[in-house]
Amino acid sequence: MLTAAAAQAKPNILRGSPSISFDIISTRVEQRRSTHGSSASVSLKQRLPLKSWDSHMHVVEPERFPVSPTAVYKPTPHTLPEALAFESRLGVENLVFVQPSVYGTDNSCLLDALRRLGPSRGRGVVVVDPATVKPETLNEWHTLGVRGLRINLQSVGKVVDKFELEETLIQHAELVRPRNWIIEIYLPLDMVPMVESILPRLGVRICIDHFGSPDLASWDDDDPTFNPYSLQGFSSLISLLRAGSTYVKMSAPYRLSKDDQMRDLQAMAREFLSVAPNRVIYATDWPHTRFSAIDISPFTECCLELCATKPGLAERLFRRNTEEMLGVDSD
């Protein structure tokens, strides 16, 4: 049990003001910057790779686009201009709009934002009912920049068995396969073994949201080390990454880790980047729905630091992997 003084002394990498101390991470970052002379004063915005992507964010406008009557929470407005201002401050140029659970299968808000932004800077991942959506509708959305279908079990707390998950994935695969889209899946990490057994029969690429959504509550953060392979489903996620048809997003750390230094998520991230550096994706999860006082800059710093030892890895994480996954022409 931490004392009150010790708890207060612990740096919080997930929340707080931009002037927050990063403890060990910040020390390493400063050491790396000091080897490049004047780069020590370069801002985070200037250090992100050019043409970086935020591969998972949302626009929500309840007054213009009413949320679903079955929405599990009531969102506040977060408009496209607000999103662009946030991304500009961070240093990100390009956006992937992901359909939030509160809109169900009504993608009107997302499509409106994507239409206004344009396909040169934007991509979209929508939610559909595969039994009713029409091919011509999907083709029209493709011209706007939609490149994926999302299956969201975690946000609504839906639990399915292997048979139901297989049927759902097969139905979505039939829609994405001819368009070379992805299936994006938000589900608990302990369900990933089911995905591992099904994926070879689908013939499509998938992307797993938010580090695979692990349950990290049982880890005692007084223990200095964290073994991600102790998590049920992590070995399956690594096997999927090795197989070559799966991407994973490093995003939404505040939804997952209770450790102020994110040692658990860092351990997971190192494994991702080690086994599949071309299929790991950075994202902010803006506007951090159901959370408040989130500053994503420390997490972004952490992602840069994790890439520091391998030339070109930061550009992979922040740009190239997203472009390859979602069919963006790279220069």
Side-chain angles (χ1 to χ4, degrees):
M1 181 71 69
L2 287 176
T3 65
Q8 186 174 10
K10 232 180 185 181
N12 192 327
I13 194 169
L14 304 179
R15 297 173 182 262
S17 67
S19 61
I20 191 170
S21 168
F22 305 141
D23 193 53
I24 296 172
I25 292 173
S26 67
T27 301
R28 291 176 181 167
V29 170
E30 290 305 321
Q31 288 173 344
R32 178 162 54 90
R33 291 182 196 166
S34 67
T35 66
H36 294 83
S38 62
S39 65
S41 61
V42 177
S43 68
L44 172 62
K45 178 176 181 177
Q46 293 171 300
R47 285 183 287 115
L48 286 187
L50 292 175
K51 300 184 179 180
S52 287
W53 284 80
D54 181 349
S55 70
H56 192 112
M57 48 81 63
H58 313 284
V59 170
V60 184
E61 298 189 53
E63 292 187 3
R64 295 181 61 215
F65 302 98
V67 300
S68 168
T70 60
V72 296
Y73 65 94
K74 184 176 181 180
T76 54
H78 298 283
T79 66
L80 179 59
E82 290 172 328
L84 292 174
F86 162 78
E87 303 290 2
S88 178
R89 289 192 298 271
L90 188 62
V92 172
E93 298 179 43
N94 304 302
L95 286 64
V96 180
F97 301 105
V98 175
Q99 176 77 338
S101 64
V102 293
Y103 278 127
T105 58
D106 182 354
N107 298 282
S108 301
C109 185
L110 182 154
L111 295 169
D112 176 75
L114 187 56
R115 189 178 291 110
R116 286 189 283 160
L117 185 63
S120 64
R121 290 185 59 196
R123 287 291 184 267
V125 178
V126 299
V127 173
V128 302
D129 180 347
T132 60
V133 69
K134 298 178 180 178
E136 55 267 30
T137 298
L138 298 178
N139 293 338
E140 177 186 343
W141 292 351
H142 186 91
T143 64
L144 293 177
V146 172
R147 293 295 186 273
L149 301 180
R150 191 184 197 202
I151 299 172
N152 185 346
L153 304 178
Q154 182 76 344
S155 291
V156 296
K158 185 175 182 180
V159 178
V160 298
D161 59 23
K162 183 178 178 180
F163 175 79
E164 186 177 354
L165 180 61
E166 181 175 16
E167 287 298 305
T168 300
L169 285 169
I170 288 172
Q171 290 174 335
H172 283 74
E174 292 298 322
L175 299 175
V176 306
R177 193 182 303 113
R179 298 170 176 83
N180 197 29
W181 289 7
I182 63 162
I183 299 176
E184 185 167 308
I185 312 173
Y186 187 20
L187 79 175
L189 183 63
D190 59 15
M191 290 181 64
V192 170
M194 290 194 290
V195 177
E196 182 187 12
S197 67
I198 297 167
L199 184 60
R201 301 197 296 276
L202 300 180
V204 301
R205 297 169 302 134
I206 66 171
C207 182
I208 305 292
D209 278 346
H210 304 334
F211 285 87
S213 195
D215 181 359
L216 301 171
S218 61
W219 179 52
D220 180 3
D221 63 7
D222 287 334
D223 187 337
T225 61
F226 176 79
N227 179 12
Y229 289 92
S230 66
L231 298 169
Q232 184 179 350
F234 186 78
S235 292
S236 289
L237 180 51
I238 292 297
S239 295
L240 284 168
L241 290 172
R242 290 187 187 278
S245 296
T246 298
Y247 293 80
V248 65
K249 289 183 182 177
M250 286 171 32
S251 53
Y254 46 85
R255 299 185 188 278
L256 307 168
S257 181
K258 305 303 180 186
D259 177 37
D260 292 337
Q261 300 173 65
M262 284 197 314
R263 289 167 294 176
D264 40 16
L265 293 180
Q266 287 191 67
M268 295 180 71
R270 289 189 193 97
E271 290 300 301
F272 296 157
L273 292 168
S274 174
V275 304
N278 293 348
R279 290 184 301 282
V280 187
I281 306 292
Y282 163 83
T284 69
D285 193 38
W286 187 90
H288 325 301
T289 54
R290 293 191 268 187
F291 287 80
S292 61
I294 297 296
D295 173 28
I296 207 67
S297 297
F299 171 67
T300 307
E301 286 271 7
C302 181
C303 290
L304 280 173
E305 172 60 18
L306 288 166
C307 296
T309 59
K310 186 174 181 180
L313 185 55
E315 186 173 22
R316 273 274 152 204
L317 177 64
F318 286 90
R319 179 187 175 187
R320 299 292 182 180
N321 293 349
T322 296
E323 291 177 340
E324 292 173 5
M325 182 177 73
L326 298 180
V328 179
D329 292 331
S330 297
D331 58 321

